[in-house]
Amino acid sequence: MKKSEIKDLQKYAVKVRKHIIDEVYSAASGHPGGSLSCTEILTVLYFAEMRVNTKQPLWEDRDRFVLSKGHCTPALYAVLAEKGFFPKEDLLTFRKADSYLEGHPSMRYVPGVDMSTGSLGQGISAAVGMAMAGKLDKKDYRVYAVLGDGELQEGEVWEAFMAAAHYKLDNLTAFLDHNGLQIDGRITDVMSPEPVADKFKAFGWNVLKTDGHDIEKILESIGQAKDCKGKPTIIIAETVKGKGVSYMENQAGWHGSAPNKEQRDQAMAELDKVLAELEVE
Amino acid sequence: MADKIATREAYGNALAEFGSDNRIVVFDADLSKSTKTDNFRKKYPERFFNMGIAEGNMMVTAAGMASCGKVVFASTFAMFAAGRAFEQIRNSICYPKLNVKIGATHAGLSVGEDGASHQAIEDIAIMRALPNMTVISPADAVETKYAVKAAIEHEGPVYLRLGRLNVPVIYNESSYKFEIGKGIVLAEGNDAAIIATGLMVSAALEAKELLQQEGINARVIDIHTIKPIDADIIVKAARETGAIVTAEEHNIIGGLGSAVAEVLSENYPVPLVRVGVQDKFGKSGKPDILLQMYGLTAADIAKSTKAVLKKKTGR
């Protein structure tokens, strides 16, 4: 990929972060921390990788995406709106009673959302089902999912991992948004799922590691995942919860709280600065 | 009565019979010999998937497949479908209204020897409280067959409540018609109405004979669809008989009896007696003995009908 294309993706990521802050600020609730940590992953998937059609969101040959950590839907909505599935202005209706942008994503209401999620542990199972359907129908679409690292504490995740390896779903690629934090603190303090790479390997998956904020490295990992035959791939993406907003970074407290006006303005100023730097270079 | 066939057997046979439709996929959780989905597997192995002893994952994987245009039958015992996988069914099947049909076998006390841990007596209550869910509890093999067919044609989630025990075939296939949400009057009568579901329908027919000997003429209604409930047939029965008995192999809390009580109290209140499990767990034993122990026989229905008649005349 050309340098200019990488830079475009980096710019998209900043725009997505700005949407996330505005969505959560206007709703006065929502989950900024984990949305900011998976921003580059979603940006790369929707702007550089996935085969989707905004005019035909239910196109049967499209690649599928499941946000298994459904609470991070501000990031998903931002990417879908930037992509053109629905108007960007609607993002400011997030979580409001007269809006279709539910607090957790609903496939029935939101164009581009492939699976309703929100209850942790279930999204990855749905992705397994989509990948099985793809194999059964001999379709070449791919299925992507993003899991949280706290989410690994849900037993269903491991049932799904077992099934994906058993059915050799090499059309399935999952990302682990490994930001190390959950609501009550560090994942290793609350209920450690580590060592995650060893566990994924033991469950029969192809395991890759990447920097979850580095566009080029994410792209490279996706390429490797597509080359792997006979096994599903998990890309362990090392990330920072709250990435891109100084006071939110690595703070578990920003898992599920909204910024006030002053905090919102500061976040926007920080992100605008990054965007301006990217424009200049 | 003629043949006896378990509704689970009829379910497995129906899947095999109607399975030529390529959209149909069957999942099981290591119970395919018991749920009889193995009958489908033998014919269409490429569209059968064993998901192992992991019911939560099975339900949501079925949802994922359904989102890709499949009609997925996900089978396990009622206990582990409605019970263990409740929240998966709620959030990943009912909320997005996906085309997953839950074939829940071994419902009720008639599971027998396996005992209370395997006897779902609350599944109807749990499943009918879910928006978008259709709940069907067939009475015999013929009804089961056409319930499966209707489930395939119906757009959205369906819970099929099936039994382990061989039960009498009460319907004649050549004249039988199944429609989701439409009860069936099996026998006319105007003294009282017995409204039954599942294996209690044949017991209700026997109870009618017992009552007949005492000069009581009871109507017998098969409510195969518990949700959406056939309010019309229930209100009509209330108007014309003035006394209702419900009969189900389920807790009296939340099941058919409750659903009928809801319809009556909002539309046409008449005396009601609910035959069912009296808010107790089951136990091990032969199915027929358990049904006697827990008051789920034709004689119990007849006794309750006489009791409800007293309430009616006492008004």
Side-chain angles (χ1 to χ4, degrees):
Chain A
M1 189 171 270
K2 281 185 265 173
K3 278 262 181 293
S4 63
E5 289 171 312
I6 300 289
K7 195 181 244 189
D8 284 343
L9 290 171
Q10 288 168 336
K11 283 184 214 165
Y12 268 124
V14 181
K15 286 180 197 164
V16 167
R17 288 204 161 88
K18 290 182 66 181
H19 287 314
I20 291 169
I21 297 300
D22 261 344
E23 286 173 77
V24 176
Y25 172 71
S26 64
S29 74
H31 300 82
S35 299
L36 293 167
S37 68
C38 66
T39 294
E40 277 82 6
I41 299 168
L42 268 64
T43 301
V44 169
L45 283 174
Y46 278 91
F47 289 97
E49 184 56 43
M50 284 171 55
R51 186 172 73 194
V52 292
N53 184 343
T54 55
K55 301 277 179 295
Q56 261 186 286
L58 298 175
W59 176 37
E60 61 178 33
D61 291 327
R62 73 191 185 281
D63 289 339
R64 269 80 172 166
F65 176 75
V66 181
L67 185 63
S68 201
K69 44 178 269 175
H71 56 280
C72 296
T73 201
L76 178 59
Y77 291 164
V79 169
L80 293 177
E82 276 293 336
K83 187 80 184 170
F85 279 99
F86 53 84
K88 282 182 255 186
E89 307 85 79
D90 292 2
L91 291 171
L92 297 180
T93 68
F94 177 50
R95 285 182 168 241
K96 293 191 165 55
D98 57 356
S99 173
Y100 59 99
L101 297 176
E102 284 292 301
H104 292 83
S106 165
M107 63 184 286
R108 286 287 163 210
Y109 308 142
V110 188
V113 170
D114 291 322
M115 182 66 202
S116 303
T117 53
S119 180
L120 294 176
Q122 296 186 25
I124 185 66
S125 297
V128 168
M130 293 171 184
M132 287 171 72
K135 291 270 179 196
L136 185 59
D137 290 338
K138 298 187 170 56
K139 297 260 189 191
D140 67 349
Y141 65 72
R142 298 192 61 80
V143 181
Y144 295 94
V146 171
L147 290 145
D149 50 6
E151 185 178 8
L152 299 180
Q153 292 157 1
E154 286 285 0
E156 184 179 343
V157 169
W158 303 98
E159 296 181 0
F161 269 71
M162 204 165 21
H166 182 81
Y167 286 112
K168 301 183 171 59
L169 303 177
D170 51 18
N171 53 349
L172 172 64
T173 302
F175 283 88
L176 181 71
D177 183 0
H178 199 221
N179 62 37
L181 294 172
Q182 61 188 116
I183 300 179
D184 278 350
R186 285 197 291 270
I187 60 165
T188 48
D189 289 339
V190 176
M191 179 54 67
S192 180
E194 302 294 349
V196 292
D198 292 346
K199 284 179 181 154
F200 296 143
K201 273 186 201 128
F203 271 72
W205 283 54
N206 175 40
V207 182
L208 304 174
K209 290 184 187 177
T210 197
D211 175 342
H213 299 304
D214 186 320
I215 302 273
E216 285 186 270
K217 286 185 179 155
I218 294 169
L219 273 166
E220 199 181 307
S221 301
I222 294 171
Q224 288 170 18
K226 287 162 86 173
D227 289 340
C228 176
K229 300 296 170 211
K231 281 181 179 189
T233 293
I234 180 142
I235 300 169
I236 301 174
E238 295 303 333
T239 56
V240 173
K241 196 156 186 163
K243 176 75 176 177
V245 177
S246 60
Y247 60 88
M248 287 188 182
E249 288 194 359
N250 280 316
Q251 299 297 315
W254 287 103
H255 172 92
S257 39
N260 60 29
K261 175 78 169 68
E262 192 186 333
Q263 289 163 330
R264 180 252 175 212
D265 292 346
Q266 187 192 330
M268 285 303 177
E270 290 180 16
L271 292 166
D272 281 333
K273 188 162 169 267
V274 177
L275 200 54
E277 283 164 8
L278 284 167
E279 303 280 3
V280 173
E281 278 170 36
Chain B
M1 293 256 176
D3 299 348
K4 282 191 165 189
I5 306 172
T7 50
R8 60 170 165 151
E9 188 75 52
Y11 167 68
N13 292 342
L15 289 178
E17 184 171 342
F18 303 124
S20 61
D21 180 342
N22 266 322
R23 296 174 307 148
I24 296 174
V25 173
V26 176
F27 281 13
D28 208 300
D30 191 40
L31 290 168
S32 62
K33 305 280 192 298
S34 300
T35 63
K36 303 297 176 186
T37 58
D38 202 46
N39 300 0
F40 176 89
R41 183 194 61 81
K42 284 180 197 145
K43 211 165 163 188
Y44 303 105
E46 71 286 357
R47 283 187 276 123
F48 174 86
F49 297 92
N50 205 323
M51 298 307 291
I53 312 165
E55 296 80 8
N57 178 60
M58 174 176 74
M59 292 301 174
V60 185
T61 306
M65 263 220 180
S67 79
C68 298
K70 302 294 175 194
V71 178
V72 190
F73 282 80
S75 281
T76 181
F77 291 177
M79 189 74 244
F80 312 123
R84 179 179 293 240
F86 163 73
E87 200 252 357
Q88 281 83 2
I89 294 172
R90 181 196 188 275
N91 277 320
S92 292
I93 296 174
C94 288
Y95 176 48
K97 204 179 179 197
L98 287 166
N99 232 346
V100 178
K101 320 299 170 181
I102 298 158
T105 67
H106 294 62
L109 300 177
S110 59
V111 167
E113 291 83 346
D114 275 356
S117 64
H118 285 54
Q119 294 162 338
I121 52 160
E122 57 289 272
D123 55 320
I124 293 175
I126 298 167
M127 289 294 111
R128 84 182 179 95
L130 289 173
N132 291 338
M133 180 63 96
T134 294
V135 180
I136 300 176
S137 161
D140 78 345
V142 173
E143 193 156 87
T144 301
K145 176 177 169 178
Y146 291 97
V148 169
K149 190 163 186 280
I152 293 168
E153 288 158 5
H154 177 80
E155 191 69 32
V158 175
Y159 182 80
L160 284 166
R161 187 182 206 242
L162 306 159
R164 170 178 182 251
L165 185 67
N166 288 335
V167 293
V169 177
I170 56 178
Y171 287 109
N172 184 339
E173 193 161 351
S174 58
S175 59
Y176 182 77
K177 279 207 170 48
F178 182 93
E179 192 182 337
I180 289 176
K182 288 275 177 255
I184 296 170
V185 176
L186 273 168
E188 290 294 349
N190 283 328
D191 293 333
I194 304 166
I195 300 178
T197 194
L199 60 71
M200 295 303 281
V201 174
S202 64
L205 287 169
E206 280 180 56
K208 180 187 169 64
E209 310 250 315
L210 296 173
L211 292 163
Q212 201 80 57
Q213 290 163 17
E214 299 183 42
I216 300 165
N217 197 9
R219 182 176 304 188
V220 177
I221 298 170
D222 168 14
I223 293 287
H224 51 66
T225 307
I226 298 188
K227 185 186 169 189
I229 192 99
D230 187 347
D232 292 346
I233 208 169
I234 294 167
V235 170
K236 186 166 186 280
R239 270 186 217 285
E240 292 173 4
T241 72
I244 306 278
V245 172
T246 57
E248 62 194 310
E249 191 197 7
H250 184 278
N251 198 341
I252 54 161
I253 297 174
L256 173 72
S258 294
V260 169
E262 288 158 16
V263 170
L264 292 178
S265 58
E266 284 189 343
N267 296 284
Y268 198 87
V270 296
L272 167 73
V273 172
R274 292 169 296 159
V275 173
V277 179
Q278 302 294 316
D279 201 21
K280 294 188 281 201
F281 285 108
K283 69 174 303 303
S284 289
K286 290 207 177 305
D288 291 336
I289 292 173
L290 293 178
L291 293 174
Q292 277 173 34
M293 280 176 75
Y294 284 79
L296 303 178
T297 65
D300 295 303
I301 297 172
K303 202 171 125 194
S304 292
T305 308
K306 286 189 269 182
V308 83
L309 283 173
K310 279 199 186 120
K311 285 199 200 179
K312 175 183 166 182
T313 50
R315 286 213 292 182

